[in-house]
Amino acid sequence: MNNSPAAVHESARQLARRSFLGQTAGLSLGALSLGLLDKFASASTNPQPIGRTDVPHFAPRAKNVIFLTQSGGPSQIELFDHKPKLHALAGTELPDSVRQGQRVTTMTASQKQLIMPSRTKFGQYGQSGATLGEWLPYHRTIVDDVCFIKSMVTDQINHAPAMTKFLTGNQLVGRPSMGSWASYGLGSANRNLPDFVVLISKMNRPSDQPLYDYYWGSGFLPSKYQGVQLRSEREPVLYLEDPQGMPREVRREMLDSLASMNTMRLEATRDPEIDTRIRQYEMAWRMQSSVPELADLGSEPESTFELYGADSRRPGSYAANCILARRMIERGVRFVQLFHPDWDHHTQLSSWCVGRCRDTDQASAALVTDLKQRGLLDDTLVIWGGEFGRGVAGQGDWTTLDAGRDHHPRCFTLWMAGGGVKPGMTFGQTDDFSFNVVENPVHVRDLHATVLHLLGIDHERFTYRFQGLDQKLTGVEPSRVVNEILA
């Protein structure tokens, strides 16, 4: 028996070829002699951009987006929206004139809505004089680089529908996420990495808040536009590695043969999911070399880890993911979305919220600083925020450290930086209770319209035909670009 490397290689090649032909119903040997293999192999190594040819509609201000999604509803009352008058009203019931019939969740519907003042001290920072709570000390260094929107509004009061609306424009499952729309319209400058990448924080303790994959799904768009989740494990993407003993040349031949048949089937049926399958196989092939290089932070200097904090050395941490996000932007990835869960502080606000701030504060500020130092911030839009805010009434006994805050959709704070947004600005205002917006409301739909605008896309013209309708991210309800915050 010949066990030489050449013989083993040839044996593997023949086995792969026989297995492939045997499992492919209806394939004749003549089909393999049509000359399509070399033609497709050549095309696959230089794929065309998959974005639409009619966008951008005008010169974009941002080329890339990093969305720092704080899942669970950070408390604007403790972090951004300073309301000093609440201390004089502590323990009194929220006036009906302020509440205006707004419903609360079943978790607080049976208790009196007693006002709980902020648990933090506030200060003003930077030349802009932005107000920040003491739990975000590193944010003080970037206040003159960001725009705080304190008048965000949504109409969903529970997590899943609110997050679904926050990311897809509709509270019902089945619509494309922002990242998928960006991928569909613009594609990416890097054909060796996905257009839309998702990173989820690996928590030091198990998270009790689910993150559903439809948050970064493609909805009714072809599935090639959905977000690709990178893991913090040894294999950032499952099943990306070749089986043991499979030579690369053999794998390439198999992919070329499969692509040829899929191409013939695509020409016959025009099924877009076949095109997705072709592209997924080719992307996986290229990612076998690009992803390990991307995920290896060993090439980063010591100064990077000092900037992002000690937790940035822990694979999968929010801080490490922020470094990965910057590395993706450097490589031309269009849309990077980070998810950090557990901002849902119904109890123990003073420890729970502080913990999430410690997870994210330094790294979020470092990301903005890092992008700015590298000359990337002007072309990169950074967004920080969650699906809604927290209510002014204490949940539980407001006088104790066990007290928390319930969900609140009527107002919350979000910040944006770079990518054509005015730096050092605070936009919008809430009432003295941080309960209602009283100046310059920004609905989630307006946020979507503005993000698309910064990418050079007119949200009214950017549509996809589905079920007989021209669907769009901003839906059919009125929405506007928030021109006041544009640089």
Side-chain angles (χ1 to χ4, degrees), residues 21-306:
L21 293 174
Q23 294 178 19
T24 310
L27 176 67
S28 67
L29 291 175
L32 294 178
S33 64
L34 294 176
L36 294 173
L37 302 186
D38 292 338
K39 178 180 178 182
F40 188 87
S42 175
S44 69
T45 57
N46 294 286
Q48 296 299 310
I50 62 174
R52 279 175 43 164
T53 58
D54 61 334
V55 293
H57 298 126
F58 42 82
R61 299 297 302 273
K63 295 179 181 178
N64 316 92
V65 177
I66 300 176
F67 197 155
L68 305 175
T69 310
Q70 313 301 318
S71 178
S75 175
Q76 78 283 358
I77 298 174
E78 270 68 36
L79 304 182
F80 305 107
D81 203 13
H82 186 32
K83 298 300 176 185
K85 293 183 180 180
L86 292 180
H87 290 281
L89 299 171
T92 64
E93 193 161 3
L94 182 67
D96 290 339
S97 59
V98 175
R99 184 173 174 181
Q100 298 177 7
Q102 168 68 15
R103 76 183 183 96
V104 295
T105 73
T106 56
M107 291 174 281
T108 56
S110 61
Q111 69 171 64
K112 287 187 176 182
Q113 300 297 298
L114 302 181
I115 293 171
M116 182 172 75
S118 173
R119 292 294 173 94
T120 62
K121 296 179 181 178
F122 276 77
Q124 289 185 286
Y125 304 97
Q127 294 183 349
S128 60
T131 58
L132 278 177
E134 60 186 334
W135 295 346
L136 294 174
Y138 287 93
H139 271 63
R140 301 170 192 174
T141 65
I142 61 167
V143 291
D144 289 334
D145 295 313
V146 309
C147 173
F148 295 96
I149 303 177
K150 296 189 176 182
S151 52
M152 289 298 303
V153 181
T154 186
D155 42 33
Q156 298 300 313
I157 199 170
N158 289 309
H159 292 293
M163 183 60 78
T164 306
K165 182 143 193 169
F166 188 48
L167 300 179
T168 73
N170 195 292
Q171 69 272 20
L172 300 179
V173 176
R175 296 180 63 87
S177 62
M178 271 194 287
S180 294
W181 279 108
S183 173
Y184 164 62
L186 298 171
S188 172
N190 188 332
R191 306 318 308 149
N192 296 321
L193 290 169
D195 306 336
F196 176 22
V197 179
V198 173
L199 300 167
I200 298 177
S201 297
K202 185 177 182 181
M203 307 292 286
N204 279 316
R205 61 176 184 77
S207 171
D208 58 3
Q209 188 174 17
L211 292 172
Y212 304 105
D213 56 9
Y214 58 76
Y215 288 162
W216 53 90
S218 58
F220 47 69
L221 294 176
S223 57
K224 61 188 173 187
Y225 300 115
Q226 69 184 4
V228 174
Q229 181 185 347
L230 295 192
R231 308 183 322 140
S232 60
E233 311 299 330
R234 186 181 66 85
E235 290 185 78
V237 180
L238 287 174
Y239 313 118
L240 198 60
E241 296 181 359
D242 290 332
Q244 284 190 341
M246 171 68 71
R248 292 289 284 165
E249 313 92 272
V250 175
R251 171 64 81 183
R252 183 66 261 174
E253 285 188 5
M254 292 177 64
L255 291 176
D256 290 343
S257 301
L258 184 61
S260 296
M261 288 182 292
N262 277 330
T263 299
M264 288 187 285
R265 184 63 178 167
L266 176 62
E267 292 173 352
T269 65
R270 298 301 174 186
D271 181 353
E273 288 306 306
I274 297 177
D275 181 52
T276 293
R277 195 172 303 123
I278 294 171
R279 293 182 184 276
Q280 285 175 332
Y281 284 137
E282 291 305 314
M283 177 60 74
W285 168 265
R286 297 192 297 275
M287 285 170 63
Q288 285 182 318
S289 58
S290 63
V291 168
E293 183 275 332
L294 167 72
D296 182 9
L297 301 186
S299 61
E300 292 289 336
E302 182 66 24
S303 58
T304 296
F305 299 106
E306 292 176 356

Side-chain angles (χ1 to χ4, degrees), residues 369-384:
T369 300
D370 198 6
L371 291 170
K372 185 177 180 180
Q373 290 174 346
R374 295 169 184 267
L376 297 171
L377 188 59
D378 287 344
D379 292 334
T380 304
L381 176 64
V382 183
I383 308 169
W384 186 105

